[in-house]
């Protein structure tokens, strides 16, 4: 565990080395949130509610869904794993007395924590003070939301690592990255809440684990369901996280036999 | 003593895709890829005892790195078995990793963006080194490798020589029983090479760490490794001491004699004349351990000897001779 935490901290500190990048990413985040809010304002077009959702709630959804719960940057794992394999740097990771997926997870959590603290938080504070951020429905919903964020992170990381490990077979990680990015943009509900989806697509999204990445946590935050239902859905999300963890362990054991370390 | 490393009939075959030419080539390659086998390692066996320092030598593409990768558990052999500290290094990679140290000259194991000292800290946690052991080792290694001047600096700002010293220090931080080094002196200047070599032979002597080192710099081997394993084309060519190598490959010491005036015919017992005329004569000496004085005593009493030079063939010369004879054969 101490090694895991040390890796999380190291990844966090490594991110902090790129100071100029932080500013650019905050600016990018502001522009993205502005675009999302503008789209929702246009969509509501003066109506008070759409399908029982108010514009203020949608602004809050955009603010959190476009920052803390965004799956966009997580796809970078796929690129990183791909590059590690293509250049043969995977050899160095394999020499360490830790399992590679665990090391990846620790590093990505470090990166994620950094992003939350230094990019998401400023963006939420700035845009929230302009457009207004709704508080969670109740204290219980707030606590559930925290639980959901943990599950969201676990599912996102589990899936990203799983796809990343596929680079052992598919040498073109770029294709995998875009596949994952497109899939998550639609199925996580980060961009558009699933309650606006046509029925067929909504059913597909509900049947897959990706809706726990953004949609379910936000629905809980906004108090769309009662607490018992929330708890059950949260437990289902934790189950999905466990399934992904098993899948990663299985694929990794296969990948180990497959390893070809490139270069001298 | 039982072997700490054992390789038995080890082979590693890579499948290399054959690229077809023409406009349709890439399409054919995609639909029905054709591969051909490349025997990177081809039936190699050896045993290494604890405390040995072994040089693993061969030209580029001889399969040196592949063998190291199999011994460190990051590649599985296609055939045969390797055993390191009694384990299968690939099946028990994590356990194996705790007890070995590895340095790849061409890749870094340090954390590029972080200060060097933080790489050491991370290493300590990953390898679960007890605090007291870590403090002692770090103090020792920082002093021996002279790292204190740049230990707070991010690794990406270090020179290659500084980085390599740091890599080796880190690989020893957890008291590994075996240290694998793949081309540790590649790209280093003469001074840095010398520091690394002296350090490695000291670690081997004082700590009893078993060292396996691949290189194509023969001086590395002369200074660090009493034993030499030579490979080419994936096959074992030679395994033994440097002295035995000289005998096997027929390299002889060369004696140059310089006289004040032309001594006429000169004959030395069991030495083969190898040219020279006038005041300078050359001889090739057999490897029979005879003292030089004994050989020279065969000179005629009146010979006015001015200078004697004895040239020991380096392994480089021995191996060059070997490869040249192979090419011409």
């Amino acid at each position: 565990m101490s090694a895991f935490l040390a890796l999380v901290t190291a990844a966090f500190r490594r991110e902090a080395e790129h100071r100029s990048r932080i500013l650019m990413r905050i600016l990018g985040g502001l522009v993205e949130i502005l675009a999302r809010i503008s789209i929702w304002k246009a969509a509501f077009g003066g109506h008070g509610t759409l399908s029982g959702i108010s514009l203020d709630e949608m602004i809050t959804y955009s603010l959190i869904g476009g920052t803390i719960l965004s799956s966009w940057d997580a796809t970078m794992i796929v690129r990183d794993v791909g590059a590690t394999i293509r250049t043969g740097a995977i050899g160095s990771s394999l020499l360490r007395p830790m399992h590679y997926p665990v090391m990846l997870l620790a590093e990505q959590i470090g990166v994620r924590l950094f992003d939350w603290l230094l990019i998401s938080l400023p963006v939420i504070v700035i845009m929230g003070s302009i457009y207004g951020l709704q508080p969670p429905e109740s204290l219980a919903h707030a606590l559930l939301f925290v639980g959901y964020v943990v599950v969201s992170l676990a599912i996102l990381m589990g899936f990203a690592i799983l796809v990343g490990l596929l680079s052992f077979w598919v040498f073109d990680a770029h294709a995998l990255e875009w596949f994952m990015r497109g899939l998550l943009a639609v199925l996580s509900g980060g961009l558009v809440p699933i309650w606006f989806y046509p029925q067929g697509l909504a059913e597909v999204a509900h049947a897959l684990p990706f809706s726990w990445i953004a949609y379910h946590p936000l629905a809980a935050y906004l108090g769309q369901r009662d607490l018992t239902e929330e708890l059950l859905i949260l437990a289902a999300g934790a189950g999905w996280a466990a399934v992904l963890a098993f899948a990663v362990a299985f694929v990794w054991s296969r990948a180990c036999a497959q390893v070809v370390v490139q270069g001298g | 003593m039982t072997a700490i490393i054992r390789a038995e009939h080890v082979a590693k075959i890579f499948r290399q895709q054959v690229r077809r030419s023409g406009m349709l080539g890439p399409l054919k390659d995609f639909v029905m890829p054709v591969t051909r086998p490349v025997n990177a390692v081809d039936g190699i066996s050896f045993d290494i005892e604890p405390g040995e320092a072994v040089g693993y030598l061969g030209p580029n593409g001889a399969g040196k790195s592949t063998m190291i990768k199999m011994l460190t558990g990051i590649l599985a052999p296609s055939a045969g078995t390797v055993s390191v500290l009694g384990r299968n290094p690939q099946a028990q990679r994590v356990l194996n990793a705790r007890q070995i140290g590895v340095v790849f000259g061409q890749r870094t194991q340090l954390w590029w963006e972080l200060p060097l000292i933080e790489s050491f800290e991370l290493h300590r946690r990953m390898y679960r080194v007890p605090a007291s052991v870590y403090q002692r080792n770090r103090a020792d290694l920082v002093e021996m490798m002279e790292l204190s001047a740049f230990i707070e600096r991010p690794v990406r700002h270090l020179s290659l020589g500084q980085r390599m010293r740091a890599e080796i220090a880190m690989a020893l931080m957890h008291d590994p029983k075996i240290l694998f080094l793949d081309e540790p002196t590649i790209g280093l200047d003469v001074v840095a090479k010398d520091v690394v070599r002296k350090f490695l032979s000291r670690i081997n002597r004082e700590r009893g760490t078993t060292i396996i080192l691949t290189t194509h710099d023969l001086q590395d081997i002369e200074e660090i490794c009493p034993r030499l394993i030579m490979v080419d084309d994936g096959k074992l060519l030679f395994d033994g001491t440097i002295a035995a190598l000289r005998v096997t490959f027929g390299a002889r010491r060369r004696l140059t004699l310089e006289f004040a005036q032309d001594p006429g015919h000169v004959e030395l017992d069991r030495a083969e004349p190898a040219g020279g005329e006038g005041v300078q004569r050359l001889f090739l000496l057999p490897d029979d351990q005879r003292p030089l004085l004994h050989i020279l005593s065969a000179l005629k009493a009146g010979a006015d000897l001015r200078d004697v030079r004895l040239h020991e063939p380096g392994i480089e010369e021995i191996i060059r001779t070997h490869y040249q004879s192979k090419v011409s054969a």
Side-chain angles (χ1 to χ4, degrees), chain A residues 33-240:
Chain A
I33 297 301
L34 182 66
R36 286 184 187 221
I37 291 177
S38 306
I39 291 169
W40 287 116
K41 277 188 161 174
F44 274 76
H47 297 284
T49 56
L50 278 180
S51 317
I53 306 295
S54 72
L55 178 60
D56 284 344
E57 284 175 319
M58 264 333 293
I59 288 175
T60 297
Y61 194 104
S62 304
L63 267 171
I64 300 176
T67 52
I68 302 179
L69 298 175
S70 167
S71 58
W72 196 258
D73 288 331
T75 54
M76 298 282 268
I77 301 180
V78 180
R79 191 183 304 182
D80 290 350
V81 175
T84 310
I85 293 169
R86 202 175 51 248
T87 60
I90 184 81
S92 303
S93 303
L94 290 173
L95 291 172
R96 301 199 165 113
M98 254 178 116
H99 292 288
Y100 180 59
V102 178
M103 285 167 57
L104 265 181
L105 179 66
E107 284 178 15
Q108 292 301 325
I109 287 178
V111 172
R112 201 75 179 161
L113 288 177
F114 181 88
D115 285 358
W116 282 351
L117 214 60
L118 279 110
I119 294 159
S120 298
L121 199 63
V123 171
I124 291 177
V125 167
I126 294 170
M127 296 308 271
S129 61
I130 299 173
Y131 294 96
L133 177 75
Q134 299 241 311
E137 180 73 9
S138 68
L139 181 65
H141 282 93
L143 290 175
L144 274 166
F145 177 70
V146 173
Y148 269 113
V149 170
V150 174
V151 167
S152 161
L153 186 65
I155 289 180
L156 182 58
M157 295 290 137
F159 184 60
I161 292 172
L162 191 64
V163 175
L165 291 181
L166 293 181
S167 336
F168 277 96
W169 292 274
V170 183
F171 260 26
D172 182 15
H174 205 67
L176 288 174
E177 186 185 335
W178 279 99
F179 161 74
M180 181 179 158
R181 194 165 270 186
L183 197 72
L184 291 188
V186 178
L187 295 176
S188 75
L191 214 50
V192 178
I194 293 174
W195 58 65
F196 290 138
Y197 283 12
Q199 203 197 346
L201 188 58
E203 278 171 11
V204 172
H206 278 299
L208 292 170
F210 312 118
S211 51
W212 274 268
I213 292 173
Y215 169 74
H216 286 304
L218 284 163
Y221 183 96
L222 294 171
Q224 294 289 304
R225 299 170 294 227
D226 66 50
L227 290 173
T228 327
E229 198 185 347
E230 288 298 356
L231 273 175
L232 285 174
I233 295 174
L234 182 60
W240 268 120

Side-chain angles (χ1 to χ4, degrees), chain A residues 1-42:
Chain A
M1 199 58 201
S2 135
F4 190 84
L5 288 180
L7 277 176
V8 171
T9 318
F12 189 95
R13 301 203 35 172
R14 194 176 56 200
E15 288 298 298
E17 290 286 313
H18 307 284
R19 248 176 260 135
S20 57
R21 209 162 73 184
I22 299 173
L23 203 61
M24 289 314 295
R25 289 189 56 200
I26 292 178
L27 283 176
L30 291 175
V31 172
E32 190 192 334
I33 297 301
L34 182 66
R36 286 184 187 221
I37 291 177
S38 306
I39 291 169
W40 287 116
K41 277 188 161 174

Side-chain angles (χ1 to χ4, degrees), chain B residues 195-244:
Chain B
V195 172
V196 166
R197 286 172 186 147
K198 288 214 163 69
F199 174 77
L200 289 176
S201 73
R202 181 169 163 194
I203 287 293
N204 175 245
R205 236 180 13 249
E206 291 178 4
R207 294 197 184 189
T209 310
T210 308
I211 289 182
I212 320 293
L213 172 139
T214 77
T215 184
H216 44 235
D217 187 329
L218 299 155
Q219 218 177 330
D220 287 350
I221 289 180
E222 285 193 319
E223 290 188 23
I224 307 165
C225 308
R227 177 175 164 195
L228 178 67
I229 293 177
M230 218 167 103
V231 289
D232 190 21
D233 260 347
K235 293 190 180 64
L236 190 77
L237 282 186
F238 174 81
D239 180 356
T241 61
I242 291 175

Side-chain angles (χ1 to χ4, degrees), chain B residues 12 32 74 78 111 116 132 134 239 247 255 263 266 277 288:
Chain B
K12 181 71 194 178
M32 260 180 72
I74 65 180
S78 312
W111 275 264
L116 177 56
S132 58
Y134 172 70
D239 180 356
V247 176
L255 180 69
V266 181
E277 57 185 21
D288 54 7

Side-chain angles (χ1 to χ4, degrees), chain B residues 36-77:
Chain B
R36 68 185 169 87
V38 177
N39 295 320
V41 173
D42 194 356
I44 287 186
S45 303
F46 55 80
D47 276 2
I48 291 170
E49 305 292 329
E52 273 197 278
V54 178
Y56 203 81
L57 183 87
N60 284 328
K64 304 187 296 286
S65 295
T66 305
M67 181 53 96
I68 293 287
K69 283 172 185 162
M70 288 190 283
L71 293 176
T72 51
I74 65 180
L75 279 183

